Amino acid sequence: MEIQSVGVIGAGQMGNGIAHVMALAGYDVLMTDISEDALKGAIETISSNLDRQVGRGKVSDQDRNAAMDRIKTTTTLIDLGACDLIIEAATERETVKQAIFDELLPHLTPTTILTSNTSSISITRLASRTDRPEKFMGFHFMNPVPVMQLVELIRGIATDEETYDACRRVVERLGKTSAAAEDFPAFIVNRILMPMINEAVYTLYEGVGSVKSIDSSMKLGANHPMGPLELADFIGLDTCLAIMNVLHDGLADTKYRPCPLLTKYVEAGWLGRKSGRGFYDYRGETPVPTR
């Protein structure tokens, strides 16, 4: 199964990153979003990020221009129907993802591979509601996509070997490394990472340490490049909460109970960097802890 064209659903942080690396690897990319402004913003972001790679000597001017030429956009979801591979990178809500697949399914070719960039939702369940569970799998990139080297490949119970091998070859062509994960809540990376972040929030909630002391302790004491609360802000507190809820609901273990303080921040709309405030306030020149 030779993949030449890739459809990307969603022009947000993950979607534009996926479009970026796919185009740079030589795939023809069609990116869709319900917002024309979001698509324009994504193209600007991709262009800027490619310029940064050119400046660092990682990408040539010729390759940068060729990659930009390979990316097309549309606000009409069904235009992606002719693509060989489709990667859904919409918001982390199952109802939204299901609605997208329902609209898209009648317009796909018989050989189109459907994948989701979901960070936690059951691939088997998503696949079971399509007409091609054997050609459906999880294709989970890490954020930021152009920088991070890992891609989790998650097979649902019905995913066939041909589909898995085709996606694995795509990851190799991107110059990234794939990790095969079983279809259990949050897969590998977030199964380990999110409870650590949640525990850091509990540490803050219980007054064991301040935002600054918790992040400094993990950076200097465990050699983490970012503190867990700083990382939560980068990921998005709403995303962190959604994944913890998936873990808690899917595994029925109290150790995955989301910290009430995390829930409170999300209820306040303090979602991290993208909203200007989270565990840090980003509205000034330098981030300032909010607790």
Side-chain angles (χ1 to χ4, degrees), residues 35-241:
S35 166
E36 185 67 49
D37 288 342
L39 289 169
K40 289 178 181 177
I43 292 297
E44 290 172 2
T45 297
I46 294 168
S47 178
S48 175
N49 288 339
L50 282 168
D51 286 343
R52 191 175 297 114
Q53 289 180 308
V54 170
R56 292 174 179 170
K58 295 181 179 295
V59 174
S60 69
D61 282 315
Q62 184 178 359
D63 287 345
R64 178 242 183 254
N65 294 335
M68 289 302 300
D69 287 343
R70 291 189 193 103
I71 302 173
K72 303 292 184 289
T73 64
T74 179
T75 54
T76 305
L77 177 63
I78 62 175
D79 288 347
L80 272 62
C83 293
D84 301 321
L85 168 67
I86 294 176
I87 303 173
E88 171 273 314
T91 188
E92 189 70 355
R93 292 207 300 272
E94 189 166 350
T95 53
V96 172
K97 296 178 186 297
Q98 190 55 57
I100 288 169
F101 293 135
D102 287 346
E103 182 179 348
L104 192 57
L105 284 173
H107 306 279
L108 300 178
T109 73
T111 59
T112 297
I113 294 175
L114 265 184
T115 69
S116 176
N117 185 59
T118 179
S119 53
S120 60
I121 298 169
S122 168
I123 298 302
T124 297
R125 191 165 64 242
L126 287 173
S128 70
R129 296 167 184 166
T130 73
D131 64 351
R132 61 194 65 214
E134 72 286 350
K135 293 188 179 302
F136 191 107
M137 64 182 298
F139 209 128
H140 182 217
F141 288 85
M142 306 295 124
N143 185 33
V145 178
V147 175
M148 302 298 280
Q149 292 301 302
L150 183 74
V151 179
E152 285 182 319
L153 293 179
I154 307 102
R155 277 178 279 209
I157 195 169
T159 307
D160 64 27
E161 200 64 29
E162 184 183 23
T163 298
Y164 176 80
D165 285 342
C167 290
R168 180 180 50 79
R169 288 194 298 271
V170 171
V171 176
E172 290 175 355
R173 183 163 157 182
L174 297 178
K176 297 184 184 295
T177 299
S178 63
E182 293 301 314
D183 185 24
F184 289 98
F187 318 129
I188 296 172
V189 173
N190 283 319
R191 173 75 176 266
I192 298 167
L193 176 62
M194 286 303 158
M196 185 198 76
I197 288 175
N198 194 52
E199 194 62 31
V201 182
Y202 266 115
T203 305
L204 177 65
Y205 176 61
E206 294 169 2
V208 180
S210 66
V211 169
K212 184 177 180 181
S213 63
I214 291 167
D215 277 351
S216 294
S217 293
M218 294 307 292
K219 285 192 284 188
L220 302 178
N223 205 28
H224 290 192
M226 296 174 71
L229 301 176
E230 181 185 5
L231 179 57
D233 276 358
F234 180 76
I235 294 168
L237 303 193
D238 52 340
T239 300
C240 294
L241 179 60

